[in-house]
Amino acid sequence: MIVLRDICKAYPGITVLKNVDIEIPDNSIFGIIGKSGAGKSTLLRIASLLEKPDSGEVFYDSDRVDTLKGRLLLERRRKMGMIFQNFNLLGSRNAAENIAYPLEIAGMQKKQIAKRVYELLEMVDIKEKYKARMSELSGGQKQRVAIARALAANPQVLFCDEATSSLDPQTTRSILALIKDLHSRLSITVFLITHQMEVIREVCQQVAVLEKGIAVEHGTVAEIFDAPKTQAAKELIHG
């Protein structure tokens, strides 16, 4: 379980997060939704240990992790995968080489890397694109490469930063179906942020609504959709 307790974060001239309390159960698909500027990306970066909160605590199970430094922080980060809206792939590398990159950094032997890369390409259903350059791939195929790369080191948590917002509706549905399938097959925790209610409805089990840095509502997807309690949730659901 990931526990974000009383998280606060500010930058010069702006408070981004205010006393956010959220629990993400193990092996769940948990969504954070809010309008632009709500603080979603900052919360994800704090949960994934890319940033530290100004105050508050982050726990992975019973271990406090926001205070980790050096080798211990790197070891914890290796247990996480991240996929991004704009893919963040290396244009100088083909599909297989992009997936291999984190394994090379980890010092895995070449034969093991080759085997693992092929397994991952098969897992995300693009094994025929093994040697494809990034310029040869569609947006959906690039995101599948990015997902495979994020899964390369067998992470315990997969963080998704607006992973479908640059894709067309049909491709979005296929990527969400893939994420649901991987969650089921790998028993992995998925923590995603989005501004798209259809993404929450399609893939998430629980959701928190963020408005101006405050978690104003939190519950199962069915609870939030059937009986939203706050104006922020109502506006997101009904547009």
Side-chain angles (χ1 to χ4, degrees):
M1 177 179 288
I2 301 173
V3 178
L4 303 172
R5 183 178 296 165
D6 203 24
I7 298 296
C8 296
K9 184 71 176 180
Y11 300 109
I14 182 170
T15 299
V16 182
L17 297 171
K18 307 172 187 176
N19 307 109
V20 175
D21 283 296
I22 291 173
E23 294 185 359
I24 298 95
D26 285 340
N27 303 330
S28 66
I29 306 180
F30 191 100
I32 301 287
I33 189 163
K35 296 179 180 178
S36 178
K40 303 185 301 296
S41 293
T42 301
L43 188 63
L44 181 139
R45 289 178 65 82
I46 288 172
S48 61
L49 309 183
L50 293 174
E51 287 192 36
K52 293 185 180 294
D54 293 335
S55 62
E57 301 169 321
V58 181
F59 288 87
Y60 278 38
D61 296 323
S62 60
D63 299 327
R64 186 173 177 184
V65 295
D66 58 287
T67 55
L68 294 177
K69 297 179 181 179
R71 179 179 57 83
L72 292 176
L73 178 58
L74 289 174
E75 287 177 357
R76 179 64 69 170
R77 283 180 177 163
R78 289 193 184 108
K79 298 176 183 179
M80 308 173 192
M82 181 82 75
I83 56 177
F84 303 91
Q85 175 181 351
N86 295 319
F87 319 126
N88 282 23
L89 297 169
L90 299 171
S92 60
R93 287 178 167 235
N94 64 28
E97 290 166 343
N98 264 282
I99 297 167
Y101 185 62
L103 300 176
E104 293 168 2
I105 292 175
M108 184 180 285
Q109 294 182 352
K110 287 185 177 181
K111 286 185 179 180
Q112 292 175 306
I113 289 175
K115 182 182 180 204
R116 179 64 176 153
V117 166
Y118 187 80
E119 290 172 351
L120 289 160
L121 283 162
E122 194 167 34
M123 191 181 296
V124 300
D125 199 26
I126 51 167
K127 61 183 180 181
E128 74 282 1
K129 300 296 183 180
Y130 188 90
K131 294 185 178 181
R133 313 300 300 184
M134 294 303 97
S135 60
E136 300 169 345
L137 299 179
S138 67
Q141 290 167 341
K142 288 177 183 176
Q143 196 58 286
R144 287 173 183 267
V145 172
I147 292 170
R149 181 187 60 185
L151 296 174
N154 292 306
Q156 298 171 351
V157 184
L158 180 63
F159 290 97
C160 304
D161 186 358
E162 297 276 11
T164 60
S165 62
S166 64
L167 304 175
D168 63 72
Q170 182 176 351
T171 305
T172 290
R173 287 191 292 272
S174 73
I175 293 297
L176 294 178
L178 174 61
I179 290 172
K180 287 175 69 174
D181 178 61
L182 293 170
H183 164 258
S184 176
R185 289 164 61 186
L186 303 176
S187 298
I188 191 171
T189 301
V190 179
F191 181 10
L192 66 85
I193 64 169
T194 183
H195 63 277
Q196 300 170 295
M197 284 305 291
E198 59 269 28
V199 170
I200 298 293
R201 190 197 301 269
E202 180 67 27
V203 75
C204 293
Q205 298 158 346
Q206 295 190 42
V207 60
V209 179
L210 212 60
E211 182 183 31
K212 296 180 180 178
I214 300 171
V216 296
E217 199 160 348
H218 176 196
T220 68
V221 169
E223 288 169 346
I224 301 299
F225 272 87
D226 292 345
K229 297 180 177 65
T230 63
Q231 186 62 31
K234 292 174 184 178
E235 289 177 0
L236 286 165
I237 292 169
H238 301 301

